[in-house]
């Protein structure tokens, strides 16, 4: 009898041990499942948060672009009017200095969690490298880019035209068949900054592409081709004029214009160009108005990936103004 009691006691203890192990196993399983569910919920929450910020970035970029670009012309026109007013008032003071026209306007705005750094630019106040290429060739294009974009960009220059250069004789022939005020457009040799700059090398040198707007403040691949004398810098105008004139002749043209900024392009060219061919080419390179503008937008949020876009207005083959956007 005693032996049976001992056996029963041992059996019950073994059963209790099995039950304890089963309970522990179930608890471990429950903890594992709960941890997995928690991680899944956390990942979904983070993904949802990320998607929300990305939506804010995209929405903000689209809204700023739709609001600012259509009004760009009026913004720069108002600045030009204010500049003339200040200049006229300053003529009475001997210490007055010429105010350089701001070809780029910067601002920043925060919407929700995203900060938008905005840079509005007048593309017709810059040297058009497509036009330089057709007028003077690859070497002159490279030198112009190096001079105006600076030493950092000079290390990353990689000129890769998409089309062959149009010979000057053919340019003259095209010009004579058209009204002088509306020369036929030359084919675009460069469609993006990657066709004139090694962007990977640029990123390696400066760390990111955020400096690209600064490096290209005086050069462009867009716009109408001609540079706006009223808004361009002296060195930009000289760089363009050197495509046709000697260095001394280009500097003289700039000096003559600064002495009398009311000179029209036609009158200035007629005074400085020595031949009809020079006049024809200079009139293709110079203008006194702007119709093409660009907008850099850098959308950043704390601990989130940036969205950077570059949008530029241009004329399509039918003469309709359209926006061309690039993502960086």
């Amino acid at each position: 009898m005693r032996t049976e009691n001992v056996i029963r006691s041992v059996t019950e203890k073994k059963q209790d041990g099995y039950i304890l192990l089963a309970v522990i196993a179930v608890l471990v399983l429950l903890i594992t499942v709960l941890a997995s569910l928690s991680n899944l919920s956390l990942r979904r929450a983070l993904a949802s948060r990320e998607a929300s910020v990305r939506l804010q970035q995209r929405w903000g970029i689209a809204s700023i672009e739709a609001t600012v670009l259509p009004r760009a012309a009026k913004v720069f026109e108002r600045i030009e009017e204010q500049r003339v007013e200040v200049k006229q008032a300053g003529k009475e003071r001997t210490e007055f200095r010429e105010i350089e026209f701001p070809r780029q306007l910067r601002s920043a705005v925060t919407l929700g969690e995203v900060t938008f750094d905005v840079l509005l630019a007048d593309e017709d106040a810059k040297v058009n490298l497509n036009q330089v290429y057709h007028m003077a060739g690859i070497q002159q294009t490279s030198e112009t880019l190096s001079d105006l974009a600076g030493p950092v960009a000079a290390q990353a220059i990689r000129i890769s035209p998409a089309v062959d250069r149009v010979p000057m004789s053919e340019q003259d022939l095209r010009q004579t068949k058209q009204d002088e005020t509306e020369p036929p457009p030359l084919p675009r040799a460069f469609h993006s900054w990657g066709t004139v700059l090694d962007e990977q090398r640029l990123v390696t040198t400066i760390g990111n592409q955020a400096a690209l707007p600064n490096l290209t403040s005086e050069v462009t691949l867009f716009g109408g081709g001609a540079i706006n004398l009223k808004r361009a810098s002296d060195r930009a105008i000289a760089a363009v004029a050197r495509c046709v004139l000697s260095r001394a002749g280009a500097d003289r043209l700039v000096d003559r214009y600064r002495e009398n900024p009311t000179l029209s392009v036609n009158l200035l060219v007629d005074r400085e160009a020595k031949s009809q061919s020079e006049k024809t080419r200079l009139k293709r390179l110079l203008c006194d108005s702007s119709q093409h503008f660009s907008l850099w937008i850098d959308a950043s949020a704390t601990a989130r990936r940036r969205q950077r876009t570059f949008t530029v207005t241009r004329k399509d083959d039918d003469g309709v103004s359209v926006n061309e956007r690039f993502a960086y």
Side-chain angles (χ1 to χ4, degrees):
M1 186 68 177
R2 185 176 181 181
T3 301
E4 292 178 355
N5 290 336
V6 171
I7 294 173
R8 187 180 298 109
S9 177
V10 171
T11 303
E12 290 176 351
K13 288 181 179 180
K14 286 183 178 181
Q15 290 176 346
D16 291 342
Y18 292 146
I19 294 173
L20 180 60
L21 290 174
V23 170
I24 293 174
V26 171
L27 289 175
V28 170
L29 179 61
L30 287 175
I31 292 172
T32 302
V33 171
L34 290 175
S36 298
L37 291 175
S38 177
N39 288 334
L40 180 61
S41 298
L42 180 60
R43 285 196 297 270
R44 287 182 175 178
L46 292 175
S48 176
R49 188 67 171 174
E50 178 71 18
S52 175
V53 173
R54 301 295 286 177
L55 180 61
Q56 288 182 41
Q57 290 175 316
R58 291 194 296 271
W59 174 82
I61 288 173
S63 299
I64 293 173
E65 180 183 308
T67 301
V68 175
L69 267 182
R71 296 170 174 81
K74 292 186 179 297
V75 170
F76 283 104
E77 285 171 3
R78 180 54 185 156
I79 293 174
E80 190 170 339
E81 292 171 359
Q82 292 175 340
R83 180 169 173 263
V84 171
E85 293 171 0
V86 172
K87 183 177 180 180
Q88 290 175 344
K91 285 181 178 179
E92 301 175 358
R93 303 195 303 270
T94 57
E95 72 277 10
F96 172 75
R97 290 185 177 182
E98 178 72 16
I99 302 173
E100 186 172 289
F101 190 89
R103 291 169 297 281
Q104 298 188 139
L105 303 174
R106 293 180 178 274
S107 185
V109 59
T110 300
L111 301 174
E113 299 180 36
V114 183
T115 297
F116 299 89
D117 293 304
V118 181
L119 189 149
L120 180 66
D122 182 346
E123 293 299 300
D124 289 331
K126 305 178 184 181
V127 176
N128 191 300
L129 296 179
N130 282 294
Q131 204 78 337
V132 173
Y133 167 72
H134 285 297
M135 287 289 177
I138 287 183
Q139 183 61 34
Q140 184 71 27
T141 304
S142 179
E143 292 176 2
T144 300
L145 179 57
S146 177
D147 291 343
L148 297 179
V152 174
Q155 299 176 20
I157 291 177
R158 183 187 60 188
I159 307 296
S160 304
V163 298
D164 292 332
R165 179 188 173 199
V166 176
M168 288 188 177
S169 58
E170 185 177 335
Q171 292 183 36
D172 292 342
L173 181 61
R174 292 184 179 191
Q175 180 72 38
T176 57
K177 292 181 178 179
Q178 298 287 331
D179 184 274
E180 284 190 354
T181 59
E182 296 183 2
L186 295 169
R188 290 174 64 188
F190 313 113
H191 291 79
S192 68
W193 289 115
T195 58
V196 294
L197 292 171
D198 185 340
E199 294 184 89
Q200 187 58 47
R201 185 171 183 179
L202 200 61
V203 170
T204 302
T205 303
I206 61 180
N208 55 57
Q209 293 174 320
L212 191 56
N214 296 328
L215 298 177
T216 59
S217 63
E218 293 205 86
V219 292
T220 183
L221 307 179
F222 312 96
I227 191 169
N228 185 348
L229 288 174
K230 294 181 179 179
R231 300 179 182 178
S233 67
D234 288 357
R235 66 175 190 160
I237 297 173
V240 166
R242 283 198 296 270
C243 293
V244 178
L245 306 175
S246 65
R247 181 175 293 272
D251 292 340
R252 186 170 56 250
L253 181 145
V254 174
D255 292 339
R256 178 67 62 88
Y257 181 72
R258 291 309 176 200
E259 290 172 1
N260 187 5
T262 60
L263 280 176
S264 67
V265 171
N266 288 340
L267 187 56
L268 178 66
V269 168
D270 288 341
R271 289 184 179 182
E272 298 303 317
K274 297 178 180 179
S275 67
Q276 185 58 45
S277 178
E278 287 185 352
K279 291 179 182 180
T280 299
R281 292 168 189 147
L282 280 174
K283 288 177 181 179
R284 180 186 286 275
L285 289 167
L286 306 175
C287 68
D288 53 12
S289 64
S290 295
Q291 299 179 358
H292 304 83
F293 305 92
S294 67
L295 187 67
W296 283 94
I297 303 178
D298 188 339
S300 61
T302 304
R304 297 290 190 279
R305 187 165 61 88
R306 292 173 177 268
Q307 282 193 25
R308 187 178 294 115
T309 63
F310 172 70
T311 306
V312 61
T313 58
R314 66 175 182 83
K315 301 288 186 180
D316 62 13
D317 295 337
D318 297 323
V320 179
S321 181
V322 296
N323 291 343
E324 187 174 8
R325 180 190 285 184
F326 302 85
Y328 290 89

